[in-house]
Amino acid sequence: MKIIMLGAPGAGKGTQAIQIAEKYRIPHVSTGDLFRSNISNNTELGKEAKGYMDAGKLVPDELTVRMLFDRVSKDDCANGYVLDGFPRTIAQAEVLEAELAKRNDKIDYAIDVEVPDENIVKRMGGRRACVKCGATYHIEHVPPKQEGICDHCGSELVLRADDAPETVLKRLQVYHEQTQPLIDFYGSRNILHEIDGTQDMNQVFADIVKLLGE
Ligand code: ADP
Ligand code: AMP
C-alpha cells in the first residue's frame, strides 16, 4: 500500500502518518525528518537544505527528489510506505508518478488532511519536537509526561525554528502557491480522499482507518 499525506504544514500529517505506519506495517517516510536528520548530522545535503527550511521555503526539487528516492529504494519500502511532506510541488508529483510507472506501480491513496489556516497558526505555536528522535508533541493537545522532555528518548523538546509565527505564515503562503495544486492533481487520478483534520486526532485516525480498511 502506497499512501501520500497532503495538507498544510501543521495539519497533522505526521501525527497520522506515524499511526498509519504502525497499523499497516509500512515505513513512515517524512522528507522534513530526513532533512532534519541530515542537518543534525552536518551532511552536505543538510547544509544546503537548512537555509531554505529556516526561511520557510521549499528545498529545491532536485535535492528533495534524490533524497526521497534514496529512501524509498531501501528494502523496507518494498511493500509500500506512507509519504509525509512529499510531494510538495507538481514537479515532484510528476517525477514520483513517472518513477513508479516504470515499475508498473502507482500511489494507492492521497489523503488530504484539511485544516483552515487560522487553526494552523495556533497549532504550530504549541508544537514541540524532540531534538534527537523527531517525536512531536503539543503543549495542550499532546503534552509529554514531563514538561520539555521526550517520552520516547528523554531528550530535550524544542520549538522548531520554522514554527515561529512569521515563518509559519510564509510556509502557509508557500503551501497555497505550490502544494495545494496537488489536490486537483490527485483528484484527477481518482485517488484523492479528504479528511476533516480539525477533529480530535483519534477521530481523524478513525476516519482514515474507515478509508483504508481494518
Ligand atoms: P504536520 O506533520 O502536518 O506538519 P503535525 O502532525 O506535526 O503536522 O501536527 C502539528 C501539531 O498539531 C503538533 O503539535 C500535533 O501534536 C498537533 N496536532 C496534530 N493533530 C491534531 C489534532 N487533530 N488536533 C489538535 N492538534 C493536533
Ligand atoms: P515538514 O517537516 O514536512 O514541515 O518540512 C519542513 C521543511 O522541510 C519544509 O518547510 C521545507 O523547507 C522542507 N521540505 C520538506 N519536504 C519537502 C519537499 N517535499 N519539497 C521541498 N521542501 C521540503
Side-chain angles (χ1 to χ4, degrees), residues 62-208:
E62 199 203 316
L63 294 178
T64 308
V65 163
R66 207 181 327 136
M67 177 183 73
L68 189 272
F69 286 125
D70 274 355
R71 176 65 191 90
V72 297
S73 60
K74 300 229 159 82
D75 288 349
D76 64 332
C77 289
N79 291 325
Y81 39 77
V82 51
L83 297 185
D84 162 15
F86 186 96
R88 257 179 159 104
T89 63
I90 294 280
Q92 292 179 9
E94 285 173 343
V95 178
L96 177 63
E97 190 173 60
E99 276 303 311
L100 289 172
K102 281 186 200 161
R103 275 168 268 134
N104 241 335
D105 204 352
K106 60 175 179 45
I107 296 294
D108 302 297
Y109 298 92
I111 302 177
D112 176 30
V113 184
E114 287 195 315
V115 176
D117 288 9
E118 309 83 84
N119 304 33
I120 297 283
V121 180
K122 260 194 245 153
R123 267 195 200 179
M124 300 295 247
R127 171 156 73 177
R128 295 293 179 273
C130 173
V131 287
K132 192 162 171 221
C133 75
T136 52
Y137 299 84
H138 190 283
I139 50 177
E140 280 168 38
H141 309 297
V142 196
K145 292 194 183 83
Q146 195 185 336
E147 197 184 317
I149 304 290
C150 179
D151 292 353
H152 304 291
C153 71
S155 303
E156 186 195 356
L157 300 180
V158 293
L159 177 70
R160 268 168 49 180
D162 60 347
D163 281 350
E166 57 287 4
T167 315
V168 170
L169 292 177
K170 174 69 189 166
R171 291 166 70 199
L172 278 172
Q173 183 198 341
V174 168
Y175 168 74
H176 290 301
E177 286 170 8
Q178 303 197 52
T179 308
Q180 209 170 18
L182 293 177
I183 293 176
D184 285 343
F185 179 94
Y186 288 110
S188 73
R189 268 62 172 174
N190 292 320
I191 56 166
L192 178 72
H193 302 271
E194 302 198 320
I195 303 276
D196 177 3
T198 64
Q199 309 173 92
D200 171 89
M201 56 187 80
N202 295 322
Q203 188 54 49
V204 178
F205 188 58
D207 285 0
I208 292 176

Side-chain angles (χ1 to χ4, degrees), residues 47-69:
K47 283 181 210 158
E48 283 198 64
K50 189 173 185 319
Y52 296 100
M53 292 173 72
D54 286 350
K57 296 182 185 161
L58 295 184
V59 178
D61 286 340
E62 199 203 316
L63 294 178
T64 308
V65 163
R66 207 181 327 136
M67 177 183 73
L68 189 272
F69 286 125

